[in-house]
Amino acid sequence: MSNSAFTDIVKVVQTLSEQVAHWRNDNNARHLHSKQDFKTEADRRAHAFLKSELSNFYPDIPVISEEDEAHLSTRPTRYWLIDPIDGTASWYGGFSGFVSQVALVENAEPIFGVVVAPVLNKTWTALKNRGAFLNNTPLKSLKSSSRLVFVDNTPEPHGFVKDLMSSMNASGYYESGSIGLKSCLVADGTVDLFIKPVVVRDWDIAPVAVILKEVGGFLRLANGSPFIFEGPMDKSEGIIIARDQVLLERAIEYADQRC
């Protein structure tokens, strides 16, 4: 992907995310089509916009979206994987923790990712072997540290995360919204560890996977196995995203003890 193409797609996602933020005041956009899955009219609009724009720029590259009615286990060699609104509950509730995100996946590996949090005015981007950026400023490589700040989506840690923080002698906690956003906070050094011990889907994590890789962060399934962008989209094991390998290994060990 050329630098100009990179810039074009980032602008598309930024344009969408700004619209998504405005739609919070639109009662039609807030209409719930599915209370069980928490799917809104905004999700549908965002999906249609992204799919149309990406297809216009790259008509030969198929688009796979969270909002598709079905997801096949067999995937194209090259495709867009999109999450038009990651963190719809945060969006609906008036919180800042939602993003729009896009990944380009090639040969089962995300090679380009963009994650935009419009209310926070933050855009994370990365292109394979060309570095990662926050608002066009290069992100530094992640390094080992004695600090251990967890991130999760509740005002105070609870349940599994609270127990794990106690076991690992965590030094802090950060509240945030969507899976993509929490993962980006590890990549940019705001926090150190994110663990989600429930089903995670490829579109939740593909855009940030390349960002993490460019800064030396680690993404694994919660059991320590590699996160593979092949087969079913659902990863029932959950995920661990860690600042460095030592922290990753500690998290896997302690998480295994808690399960």
Side-chain angles (χ1 to χ4, degrees), residues 30-66:
R30 293 173 62 84
H31 174 69
L32 277 170
H33 290 287
S34 170
K35 291 184 179 180
Q36 180 179 355
D37 299 325
F38 214 91
K39 296 298 182 182
T40 67
E41 177 61 23
D43 291 292
R44 292 186 176 184
R45 290 184 187 179
H47 161 84
F49 176 88
L50 263 187
K51 191 163 188 176
S52 174
E53 290 296 309
L54 291 172
S55 297
N56 286 337
F57 275 105
Y58 296 95
D60 296 331
I61 301 179
V63 180
I64 299 176
S65 171
E66 176 190 11

Side-chain angles (χ1 to χ4, degrees), residues 91-209:
W91 173 86
Y92 194 87
F95 300 106
S96 61
F98 64 92
V99 300
S100 295
Q101 52 187 19
V102 169
L104 180 62
V105 182
E106 191 172 86
N107 297 319
E109 178 187 8
I111 63 168
F112 163 75
V114 52
V115 181
V116 183
V119 178
L120 301 177
N121 194 29
K122 291 185 176 183
T123 299
W124 294 266
T125 57
L127 192 58
K128 183 182 178 182
N129 297 327
R130 299 190 196 179
F133 302 82
L134 172 55
N135 292 348
N136 296 318
T137 299
L139 290 175
K140 296 179 180 180
S141 296
L142 296 173
K143 297 181 179 180
S144 298
S145 169
S146 59
R147 189 190 75 170
L148 177 49
V149 177
F150 274 69
V151 62
D152 205 6
N153 61 345
T154 55
E156 300 291 337
H158 74 289
F160 177 87
V161 169
K162 182 178 180 180
D163 292 343
L164 201 58
M165 286 180 64
S166 177
S167 298
M168 296 182 69
N169 295 317
S171 55
Y173 176 80
Y174 195 99
E175 178 192 0
S176 188
S178 78
I179 290 175
L181 179 55
K182 289 191 283 286
S183 303
C184 282
L185 293 175
V186 177
D188 70 19
T190 300
V191 303
D192 306 302
L193 188 62
F194 170 44
I195 299 181
K196 195 71 174 177
V198 298
V199 176
V200 174
R201 296 168 178 87
D202 283 14
W203 51 74
D204 294 322
I205 207 67
V208 76

Side-chain angles (χ1 to χ4, degrees), residues 186-242:
V186 177
D188 70 19
T190 300
V191 303
D192 306 302
L193 188 62
F194 170 44
I195 299 181
K196 195 71 174 177
V198 298
V199 176
V200 174
R201 296 168 178 87
D202 283 14
W203 51 74
D204 294 322
I205 207 67
V208 76
V210 61
I211 301 172
L212 280 163
K213 192 169 185 178
E214 289 298 301
V215 296
F218 287 82
L219 162 66
R220 295 288 188 275
L221 296 176
N223 61 13
S225 300
F227 193 111
I228 305 298
F229 291 91
E230 292 180 309
M233 292 285 178
D234 293 359
K235 302 296 191 291
S236 60
E237 302 91 339
I239 57 169
I240 296 177
I241 295 179

